[in-house]
Amino acid sequence: MRKKAIIAQKGSRHMQLNTKLCKILGIAYPVIQAGMAGGPTTVELVASVSNAGGLGTLGAAYMKPEEIRTAIRKIKEQTSKPFAVNLFCTNWTDQYAGVEESQKVLNAIRERLGLKQSNQKVITNNFFEEQFEVLMEEKVSVISSAFGIFPQDKMIQAKERGIKVTTMVTTVREAQLAESEGTDIIIAQGSDAGGHRSTFEIEKNSLGAAVGTFSLVPQVVDAVSVPVVAAGGIMDSRGLVAALALGAQGVQMGTAFLTTMESGAHSAYKQALINSTEESTVITKAFSGRPARGIKNAFMRAYEDMNLSPADFPTQNTLTNDIRKQAALQNNPEYMSLWAGQGTRLLHNEIRAEKLLSDLISGANHILNFYE
């Protein structure tokens, strides 16, 4: 089906961004801060984005249930505006095939970092049921999923409480499936995106769907009737306007927020981002066992040099946890997961999240007024 994008409407002084997404989510501007798991989405970042008119998102996939509850309550202390919480909808059962080979690479890295070698069997905790229950009990405004769609019983619970549901997809087929299962908003994530890709079935596509953001978005828009949000490599007002022109109702941005003052990203990670270019990132499964885009470093090269494959998610993610933590303690970005999209030349160093969002919206209005 073909749909027209509502890019803007006349304001008293200049054109104001106004899309269906804003009304559905109860936000002023069609901008979602991505729910980046692992620490970048601090309470301060989420609250700042929501207070500034966007939708802040807590990346909670790796958090224990009570940690999520505490974070949600702290966010609510800092903002009365809507915000989202993101979880992974995937198989959390450990996959032990390839672990022995992967440990050969990891133990060599541990030796470099001064860590003890490890050959113990890993066990990954699965808190999904408890995590979801916390979201229901705390009555968050929006819940979002990556790697899949919330199960039907969870979708019903959310709907009964008036909670909006967003799903990240990487193909038209995934988008249509998400819509059929009751998703309110589809986030079309292109291969430009940093961090983990949301391809549902990586067994069929080892490195995830390789469809670029601005190829994916209009095809998803034409295939579904619910609002579509563009994600992947969008860093500034030009990306926002381009996404709206292609039929999206808004954008989701992750990498752009990593270098904000409120971000929880490690200082060495932030500096690596500032020093990177559009040629710095690659898609890898080395850190977690799922495809993710990040800045290429010694950790990734270690797997290439030994011509070995990592174990599958979530086991590989658990295996590498000690290395990533030790690398952070040593301020050593060569062994940290430096997730990043392809637009890193457009990053701003140590900018306030509120300023980033304000500049994004004013820049988009300027572009739209220019073509008025």
Side-chain angles (χ1 to χ4, degrees):
M1 69 188 66
R2 297 283 173 182
K3 300 193 301 183
K4 293 182 179 180
I6 303 174
I7 295 181
Q9 68 178 18
K10 286 267 192 166
S12 58
R13 296 180 62 187
H14 51 68
M15 300 175 77
Q16 296 290 333
L17 297 170
N18 179 26
T19 74
K20 186 178 180 181
L21 181 75
C22 298
K23 183 177 181 180
I24 293 174
L25 297 180
I27 57 180
Y29 306 120
V31 180
I32 298 173
Q33 164 248 309
M36 299 168 283
T41 55
T42 61
V43 166
E44 293 73 24
L45 176 59
V46 176
S48 294
V49 172
S50 289
N51 281 330
L55 185 77
T57 306
L58 177 68
Y62 299 132
M63 297 172 69
K64 294 178 180 179
E66 285 310 307
E67 292 174 336
I68 298 174
R69 191 187 305 277
T70 298
I72 288 172
R73 292 182 177 180
K74 287 183 177 179
I75 293 169
K76 288 181 177 179
E77 289 175 1
Q78 296 186 29
T79 184
S80 60
K81 302 294 181 62
F83 63 90
V85 180
N86 177 264
L87 297 177
F88 293 166
C89 289
T90 189
N91 181 10
W92 284 93
T93 304
D94 277 307
Q95 310 293 317
Y96 293 109
V99 167
E100 186 175 346
E101 290 296 299
S102 187
Q103 285 283 39
K104 293 178 182 179
V105 182
L106 299 178
N107 279 329
I109 293 173
R110 290 186 180 104
E111 186 175 354
R112 296 187 196 113
L113 295 176
L115 289 170
K116 293 181 180 180
Q117 295 200 357
S118 175
N119 292 297
Q120 295 181 341
K121 184 176 181 179
V122 301
I123 299 176
T124 303
N125 293 316
N126 179 4
F127 296 121
F128 178 77
E129 293 291 334
E130 296 87 348
Q131 289 172 329
F132 189 87
E133 188 60 33
V134 169
L135 305 193
M136 297 300 99
E137 291 172 355
E138 296 299 320
K139 301 176 182 178
V140 297
S141 302
V142 183
I143 59 173
S144 67
S145 70
F147 304 164
I149 306 166
F150 284 112
Q152 195 58 45
D153 64 315
K154 303 295 187 292
M155 195 74 78
I156 291 172
Q157 289 183 54
K159 300 288 186 179
E160 288 176 345
R161 291 166 173 79
I163 297 171
K164 300 301 180 184
V165 179
T166 74
T167 304
M168 291 200 328
V169 307
T170 60
T171 66
V172 169
R173 182 175 58 83
E174 290 172 352
Q176 291 173 322
L177 180 59
E179 180 180 32
S180 70
E181 292 295 314
T183 294
D184 297 298
I185 295 164
I186 289 170
I187 300 173
Q189 182 195 37
S191 57
D192 319 40
H196 284 97
R197 316 277 300 294
S198 197
T199 299
F200 294 179
E201 299 173 326
I202 58 170
E203 299 83 6
K204 297 180 179 179
N205 198 334
S206 179
L207 291 181
V211 186
T213 302
F214 290 119
S215 294
L216 178 65
V217 169
Q219 295 183 77
V220 171
V221 168
D222 287 354
V224 300
S225 59
V226 297
V228 175
V229 172
I234 298 169
M235 304 292 289
D236 61 16
S237 54
R238 293 169 294 182
L240 171 56
V241 172
L244 295 175
L246 291 175
Q249 295 289 326
V251 296
Q252 176 173 284
M253 300 166 61
T255 304
F257 285 102
L258 285 173
T259 54
T260 60
M261 296 178 71
E262 296 87 354
S263 163
H266 192 285
S267 58
Y269 180 7
K270 289 184 177 182
Q271 192 57 53
L273 287 166
I274 294 299
N275 293 340
S276 68
T277 73
E278 75 283 359
E279 298 181 276
S280 298
T281 68
V282 295
I283 295 174
T284 182
K285 295 172 72 175
F287 283 101
S288 70
R290 282 194 68 103
R293 182 178 291 283
I295 298 171
K296 191 169 186 178
N297 58 9
F299 187 99
M300 298 182 197
R301 290 193 292 272
Y303 274 90
E304 292 180 358
D305 292 344
M306 293 187 69
N307 195 28
L308 292 174
S309 298
D312 288 334
F313 182 91
T315 309
Q316 179 72 8
N317 191 70
T318 306
L319 285 173
T320 63
N321 187 52
D322 62 329
I323 291 173
R324 288 178 281 118
K325 285 184 175 179
Q326 185 64 22
L329 289 173
Q330 295 182 12
N331 296 314
N332 187 346
E334 288 299 323
Y335 298 99
M336 297 165 62
S337 50
L338 308 172
W339 303 139
Q342 290 185 307
T344 54
R345 287 186 191 269
L346 304 176
L347 283 167
H348 297 278
N349 196 16
E350 290 300 293
I351 188 175
R352 288 280 182 191
E354 180 182 6
K355 179 70 162 54
L356 189 156
L357 190 57
S358 174
D359 289 349
L360 179 74
I361 299 305
S362 62
N365 275 319
H366 176 78
I367 293 170
L368 292 168
N369 278 317
F370 179 81
Y371 288 106
E372 185 180 359

